[in-house]
Amino acid sequence: MERDGSLLDDYVLSLAGGPRPRVCFLPTASGDADHYVVRFYRRFSPDCDASHVSLFRRDQGTGGVEDDLATHLLSQDLIYVGGGNVVSMLGAWRAHGLDAILRRAWRRGIILCGPSAGSLCWFEQALSAFHGAPRMVRGLGLLPYSNCVHYDAEPARHAEYHRFVADGMRPGYAVDDGVALHFRGTSLERVVSSRADGGAYLVEPCGDRVRETRLAVEQLGSAGPADGGDAWPVTSARGRTAPAAAARRATAHAKPKPVPA
Amino acid sequence: MNDRPVVDVAERQIFAMGGGGFTMEPNNPLLDDFVLSLSDVGEPRILFLPTASGDTNAQINAFRARFAERACIPEHLSLFHLRDSTRSLAEIVLGQDIVYVGGGSMRNLLALWHAHGLDRLLVQAWERGTVLAGLSAGAMCWFQGGVTRSSGPPEPIAGLSVLEGSLTVHADGEPERLPVWLASVRDGALPGGWALDDGVGLLFRGERPERAVSSRPGAGAQRVDAIAGELLRKRVEVELLGEGPRAALGGFDEAVQELRRVNRMRRGTSRGRG
């Protein structure tokens, strides 16, 4: 749904399987921005049973889903979390009990995905640099790692993430724009990209230094099978899948990466 | 700006509106002019917090439309678009003369403030003499509790407890709220407090209600307490704004107009976006 991120959307839809998957959008991190909700429906309603939950419009009958939130979310095949401010989003989720519902959804095998804030939120710890000095944010903790997004898009991000990991943040994954991590359970299963030069990195402490290891990335749409359902065992298990995509500004040019220590 | 001294409790002001102001009364500036008059600064810095709405452009634009040409320095703070700002939240909030909080979801408002530490900063600002004003969710939040429709049907909700008692809003405009509030006060889920119609604002000095003012003829307010399981309801006297000389509200004073022009020029050359 992000600009140029449609390959990642195709990918995640291929995981949901079925002729018309049920997909629910959570635009909380944007403040339920109308344009984002519209973009979601434009992208997903042709092929999916699409809905959204707006936590800011529940009084006006325009909150998308009006019945019980838990019942609705737990009946989805895919929950798509939009980007924006992760601190605001987690705060609003907790106030409405959505954090607990999303944990249940994950345990039930509902696929959870999203770019940017929609990626950070699934991890135990995340680096948020949305405003001011970068800070560590506690996510829902489904994935026992840390996460850093927009790794190539913002010049200082690399050094900041390394510093946090050196100072005791959990080891974790740094992801360029346009690249997505696909977890099954808590294991990283695939790294896919909508662009040729997108990277993802495992960042972990190593003695008193920080080691960064570039992960193998499969480019979507190039070899063909990724956006179909066949090459990927979609239909077998829907168990515990959490692709975390960092798809914003997929066209941003990459800067050179230091060689892992 | 951030080292303003703490002021006496009696000098701290909160102006709680049951509805009205620029988001609800685009053609009636009486309440908003009253808000500006509460600051003793000639051209107060006024910060709008549209948090409860999810920072909608509609509210932000209405704020700008109302305050851009008035004797004040308006800016807004969007927690969803903090990326645009290089100042810390403390710098932004503690430098204001007035903070004006918009309506929307009270549950989200409090959750987001808490997540960003803004609740604490706002109480600090109040203790340092910044006027806190707001409508609907932005009014109830200062009390021990209110009635919200954040999850659809109206239900009681706890507030920040800066002020004692509870508040319910839109008593005339959204009639389904009032019975929920009355029942909550009767059964003790909420403490006694005030019910305000749209267009009515209640001014607190320190923790005491001082004046009730209104932008609309006929709009009212009541104080309700539960005594031995029975509700005691008292009408509150409301002053209709705009009946006295308008100059008292700072509308047409030539010196103020001049100051405005100068400040607009100054802002145009030296200040970035708000």
Side-chain angles (χ1 to χ4, degrees):
Chain A
M1 197 175 23
E2 309 302 304
R3 261 173 225 97
D4 305 314
S6 61
L7 287 171
L8 293 177
D9 292 338
D10 291 344
Y11 178 77
V12 82
L13 275 182
S14 78
L15 301 176
R20 220 179 146 71
R22 278 165 300 180
V23 180
C24 186
F25 180 48
L26 299 180
T28 320
S30 69
D32 299 334
D34 290 338
H35 63 89
Y36 205 7
V37 175
V38 168
R39 218 157 71 207
F40 166 77
Y41 280 103
R42 205 175 282 150
R43 173 67 183 83
F44 286 93
S45 59
D47 308 318
C48 308
D49 190 352
S51 62
H52 79 286
V53 169
S54 164
L55 297 182
F56 283 94
R57 313 279 181 272
R58 293 180 75 187
D59 59 325
Q60 295 162 21
T62 51
V65 173
E66 286 310 310
D67 57 353
D68 182 37
L69 280 185
T71 308
H72 180 75
L73 287 171
L74 294 175
S75 71
Q76 301 299 307
D77 298 304
L78 171 64
I79 295 173
Y80 195 122
V81 176
N85 186 323
V86 70
V87 175
S88 295
M89 177 176 80
L90 290 168
W93 280 3
R94 285 174 183 135
H96 290 264
L98 231 64
D99 50 343
I101 297 172
L102 290 169
R103 280 195 195 95
R104 281 168 68 194
W106 182 68
R107 285 196 294 269
R108 286 194 183 191
I110 294 168
I111 300 167
L112 309 175
C113 78
S116 192
S119 168
L120 300 176
C121 61
W122 313 119
F123 291 81
E124 190 162 307
Q125 300 176 341
L127 184 72
S128 170
F130 193 82
H131 174 241
R135 56 191 272 205
M136 201 262 281
V137 171
R138 268 181 207 292
L140 298 188
L142 302 180
L143 300 171
Y145 319 106
S146 63
N147 184 216
C148 173
V149 295
H150 309 310
Y151 202 49
D152 59 337
E154 284 153 43
R157 202 54 65 87
H158 180 270
E160 288 160 355
Y161 188 43
H162 278 229
R163 180 166 58 80
F164 272 83
V165 170
D167 289 349
M169 190 185 234
R170 270 185 173 279
Y173 297 93
V175 188
D176 287 348
D177 286 346
V179 179
L181 307 172
H182 178 179
F183 290 90
R184 188 172 291 271
T186 55
S187 323
L188 180 62
E189 192 150 281
R190 277 175 88 179
V191 183
V192 295
S193 172
S194 62
R195 45 183 267 225
D197 55 350
Y201 310 84
L202 173 64
V203 177
E204 56 193 340
C206 174
D208 358 326
R209 304 171 65 185
V210 171
R211 181 169 60 199
E212 176 172 299
T213 312
R214 191 181 174 105
L215 304 171
V217 178
E218 297 170 55
Q219 193 189 342
L220 296 173
S222 55
D227 57 349
D230 294 333
W232 176 243
V234 185
T235 49
S236 55
R238 296 210 343 247
R240 300 194 179 187
T241 311
R248 199 176 64 94
R249 274 183 293 173
T251 51
H253 48 81
K255 64 173 166 40
K257 279 282 155 17
V259 180
Chain B
M1 278 293 187
N2 295 359
D3 46 12
R4 293 182 183 197
V6 170
V7 301
D8 277 354
V9 171
E11 287 175 41
R12 302 173 188 173
Q13 298 183 83
I14 291 181
F15 185 58
M17 291 176 274
F22 61 91
T23 51
M24 291 182 66
E25 303 176 312
N27 300 315
N28 181 347
L30 289 170
L31 285 170
D32 293 334
D33 282 331
F34 183 76
V35 168
L36 287 182
S37 77
L38 294 175
S39 169
D40 52 11
V41 177
E43 192 176 60
R45 304 178 65 100
I46 179 167
L47 176 73
F48 176 50
L49 297 179
T51 319
S53 72
D55 300 333
T56 56
N57 286 332
Q59 282 201 357
I60 294 164
N61 292 339
F63 171 72
R64 294 198 167 279
R66 175 60 49 85
F67 288 100
E69 296 302 315
R70 286 183 150 69
C72 61
I73 303 172
E75 69 173 310
H76 71 272
L77 170 61
S78 164
L79 292 179
F80 285 102
H81 304 99
L82 284 173
R83 216 185 276 284
D84 300 341
S85 171
T86 54
R87 290 181 294 159
S88 72
L89 292 183
E91 262 177 283
I92 295 170
V93 171
L94 297 178
Q96 303 296 328
D97 300 302
I98 301 171
V99 174
Y100 192 130
V101 183
S105 164
M106 180 158 158
R107 191 181 305 286
N108 291 1
L109 174 79
L110 294 174
L112 296 181
W113 282 0
H114 183 68
H116 291 272
L118 208 58
D119 44 1
R120 200 172 34 81
L121 285 175
L122 288 166
V123 173
Q124 279 178 30
W126 176 69
E127 290 167 349
R128 284 161 177 72
T130 297
V131 177
L132 304 179
L135 71 141
S136 196
M140 295 186 291
C141 63
W142 312 115
F143 292 81
Q144 284 174 278
V147 170
T148 184
R149 296 177 57 216
S150 296
S151 303
E155 58 183 339
I157 182 172
L160 294 176
S161 297
V162 179
L163 297 175
E164 286 195 354
S166 68
L167 181 74
T168 189
V169 294
H170 311 308
D172 54 345
E174 292 181 16
E176 65 275 28
R177 270 177 207 265
L178 191 59
V180 173
W181 181 69
L182 291 172
S184 302
V185 172
R186 189 200 304 271
D187 67 22
L190 288 173
W194 294 267
L196 305 180
D197 284 346
D198 283 330
V200 176
L202 200 52
L203 175 64
F204 286 79
R205 237 171 229 287
E207 282 142 33
R208 298 166 51 87
E210 187 178 71
R211 286 172 78 182
V213 298
S214 163
S215 61
R216 308 176 186 185
Q222 53 181 305
R223 166 82 208 193
V224 177
D225 288 284
I227 295 185
E230 290 301 312
L231 290 178
L232 181 67
R233 302 171 67 159
K234 277 186 295 198
R235 267 182 65 88
V236 172
E237 205 61 44
V238 177
E239 301 166 49
L240 185 59
L241 293 170
E243 295 202 307
R246 287 292 301 278
L249 298 174
F252 305 103
D253 189 303
E254 261 186 46
V256 171
Q257 299 280 3
E258 176 65 25
L259 183 65
R260 248 182 244 173
R261 273 194 295 278
V262 169
N263 277 301
R264 269 203 297 278
M265 277 169 50
R266 186 166 54 82
R267 284 207 294 280
T269 53
S270 67
R271 279 170 58 89
R273 52 188 305 284

